Amino acid sequence: MQAYTGLADAPALVVPASAPRPAVLPARALEQARQNRSATLAFRRRLLLAERDVAQARGTTGFQATLLANMGYVNQAANLVDTYQNLQNQQRVSLAFSLPLVDWGRQKSIIKTAELARDQVQHNVAQEERSFEQTVLSQSGQLPALGEQARLAGRADSLAQRRYDIARATYVLGRISLTDLTLASVAKDSARRGYIAALRAGWVAYYRLRALTLYDFERQQPLVANQ
């Protein structure tokens, strides 16, 4: 370690412990993901905006009426100060109607375009929701398998280390060749790398599930306040 870092008192590297393996039901993980993640609200918002656009397209075509009312005081003068002298009362109400006689299908086209855009948004949201749910379910289902994989890799690492220790002692006694000792050393290093890789996969899966659900399954509490 000192040769790589250049530090006189370089810390010793140790193999980390296995990742926590709380009992996580996939349905429970999906429930927490829907409850805690803002993605669920984003999906609903996109659907509501699409429905709003359709309603707006239907409401802004065809017959329209505008009501305008003005009430207050009014006056005119050559300068600003005189405009506030002898104010005149003003009350005015106007009602305007607008009805297209021939629009050559423009109204139907606007509504149809908005409906097609809404349908596309609904399709995209449904796909994204399924993808999100499948990711959560898959991630939660991986934890037991990865935990068992780490346990087996740890067992293989221990056996490879014992084999190397025996091979080394036997080599010192001159009962095996250097080639046999080298093979044992290679197997020991390979088992250690496999064990560390299994540990890493377990920790990555554990924190990825926390990120997907924003929930701590060890303490049984949300990581953030519910949105």
Side-chain angles (χ1 to χ4, degrees):
M1 182 65 182
Q2 181 180 356
Y4 291 101
T5 63
L7 300 176
D9 298 328
L13 297 180
V14 296
V15 177
S18 299
R21 285 186 288 173
V24 180
L25 295 177
R28 173 67 171 169
L30 183 58
E31 176 188 355
Q32 291 299 324
R34 289 171 174 170
Q35 182 176 347
N36 300 326
R37 287 292 299 270
S38 61
T40 302
L41 295 179
F43 291 148
R44 296 176 183 174
R45 180 176 181 274
R46 288 167 59 186
L47 293 176
L48 290 176
L49 289 177
E51 292 291 348
R52 182 206 64 181
D53 292 341
V54 173
Q56 185 176 5
R58 291 173 178 172
T60 55
T61 57
F63 176 81
Q64 298 182 29
T66 303
L67 177 63
L68 179 63
N70 293 325
M71 298 182 63
Y73 295 94
V74 66
N75 195 10
Q76 295 182 358
N79 53 69
L80 179 62
V81 176
D82 293 338
T83 57
Y84 290 92
Q85 304 295 329
N86 301 322
L87 296 176
Q88 301 176 12
N89 188 26
Q90 174 182 263
Q91 296 181 0
R92 179 183 301 172
V93 178
S94 61
L95 179 62
F97 297 93
S98 175
L99 179 62
L101 299 178
V102 179
D103 62 358
W104 307 105
R106 179 176 177 271
Q107 175 182 348
K108 293 182 179 180
S109 176
I110 293 176
I111 297 176
K112 188 62 177 179
T113 300
E115 291 175 344
L116 290 176
R118 177 201 57 192
D119 295 342
Q120 183 64 43
V121 170
Q122 291 175 344
H123 176 72
N124 293 339
V125 168
Q127 282 189 328
E128 294 176 20
E129 282 184 327
R130 286 194 297 268
S131 177
F132 176 74
E133 293 173 357
Q134 185 61 36
T135 300
V136 173
L137 294 175
S138 175
Q139 197 67 37
S140 60
Q142 285 182 2
L143 290 184
L146 291 176
E148 181 65 14
Q149 180 180 345
R151 187 188 69 82
L152 294 177
R155 178 64 176 167
D157 177 57
S158 299
L159 293 176
Q161 182 65 48
R162 289 176 57 187
R163 177 192 174 192
Y164 173 75
D165 293 339
I166 294 174
R168 183 177 180 182
T170 307
Y171 174 76
V172 172
L173 296 177
R175 297 180 180 177
I176 62 173
S177 65
L178 179 60
T179 301
D180 294 330
L181 177 62
T182 302
L183 292 175
S185 177
V186 171
K188 172 182 68 70
D189 294 341
S190 177
R192 177 54 57 92
R193 287 193 296 268
Y195 179 44
I196 294 175
L199 292 177
R200 180 183 183 278
W203 280 107
V204 169
Y206 172 71
Y207 277 103
R208 185 170 294 169
L209 180 62
R210 284 165 59 100
L212 285 171
T213 61
L214 294 181
Y215 191 80
D216 187 342
F217 290 95
E218 285 189 281
R219 297 182 176 86
Q220 296 295 313
Q221 63 183 19
L223 297 176
V224 297
N226 292 335
Q227 301 180 22

